[in-house]
Structure formats: C-alpha cells, structure tokens
Amino acid sequence: QPGVYGTLGVPDPANIPPARWGATSWTDGNGKLWFFGGYDGSDDDSNNFYFNDLWNYNPATNEWTWVSGNSGPSEQGIYGTQGVPDAANVPAGVGGAVSWIDGSGSFWVFSGFGREPWGSYGPLSDLWKFNPTTNEWTWTVDNIPGARSGAVSWTDSSGNFWLFGGEVPGGALN
C-alpha cells in the first residue's frame, strides 16, 4: 500500500508509512516506536524498492511523523563527512539491516541490502547513527565488518553490540 507522508517533521493522524518488509526499529525512552527503511517485498531483488525514510509513531496521540529521508523508493544515501552529524545526511534505502540503541539513546543502523553509492544494488556495509534529539544522521564507518543483510544483532548488559550471520555478497551465509 502507498503511504501518506504529509509534511516532514509534522505529526498528523492522516500520515501513514508505505507498506514494506525488512525495516529496522527501535522504541525510545518515551515509548515512541521508530522505524527506518525496508523494501516493498517483491520476489526479484533487482525490482525491489528500498526505502530510506525514518518514521516515528506516538501511541499517546495515535499519530505518525515522517522524520527523515525521502518519500520515494530506492534512494541513494547522502553521506556527508564521515563522523560529522548533519541534517542533510541520510542512509541509502535499505532492507534487512540490523539496529540497536546505545546508552545515550541514539539509534544505530548497520548494513542491509540496498542501493550502493555508485547506483547498483547489493549488501551494504554502512554504519549510521541517528540522534533523535537533533534529528541528525552521522555516517560513522564503512566496510567493518563486511557487507551483509538479514543478520541478527543484540546488545549485552554492558552495552556491547553483537552481530551474527547474514547473507553476504554472492549469497553465502556467514
């Protein structure tokens, strides 16, 4: 189903994200649900549409807010300067990424399958941080660990991030 984006940054009861698979999600300290990316779920990877939009849902008001990214599918990222947060930065459209929240409440997104910076499609190895207080993305690292999609991740009681498996370039499992 197509979505209703409304105005960027403005909650509205009429807003609703488009249907998708493979999005990443978080719940912040205020009980809001956030999600990023995903794809339209067609059977042919070359015909999938990958999204780079970030949304939040406030259960207290029953309203969605389009927070960041584009309203169109299969968007390339805007990387900016590595390590520097910027309101113009945004990851590429991606599905099957992993996500977590750090101790300061920032959201993290790693890897997934999507549109690479040179325009083709494949597993990505990008690591991005989103600060929900400033609404800014930061591109932090590339290529460590290697590109993959569909991995699992978790954080332990010490706040360490753990990553396992996933589909790597060429289709093998790691």
Side-chain angles (χ1 to χ4, degrees), residues 98-113:
V98 295
S99 63
W100 68 98
I101 297 177
D102 67 19
S104 67
S106 292
F107 307 153
W108 291 82
V109 175
F110 173 71
S111 204
F113 194 94

Side-chain angles (χ1 to χ4, degrees), residues 61-154:
T61 62
N62 196 30
E63 293 178 326
W64 286 99
T65 304
W66 169 37
V67 176
S68 173
N70 298 294
S71 61
S74 300
E75 295 292 340
Q76 288 181 294
I78 299 172
Y79 286 74
T81 302
Q82 189 173 11
V84 178
D86 191 312
N89 292 349
V90 65
V94 66
V98 295
S99 63
W100 68 98
I101 297 177
D102 67 19
S104 67
S106 292
F107 307 153
W108 291 82
V109 175
F110 173 71
S111 204
F113 194 94
R115 191 169 183 191
E116 299 166 320
W118 48 89
S120 61
Y121 292 89
L124 304 175
S125 59
D126 299 353
L127 178 63
W128 288 85
K129 177 182 176 180
F130 181 78
N131 182 328
T133 303
T134 63
N135 285 344
E136 292 179 329
W137 285 101
T138 305
W139 169 50
T140 62
V141 176
D142 200 14
N143 294 323
I144 301 173
R148 66 194 66 225
S149 66
V152 295
S153 67
W154 63 96

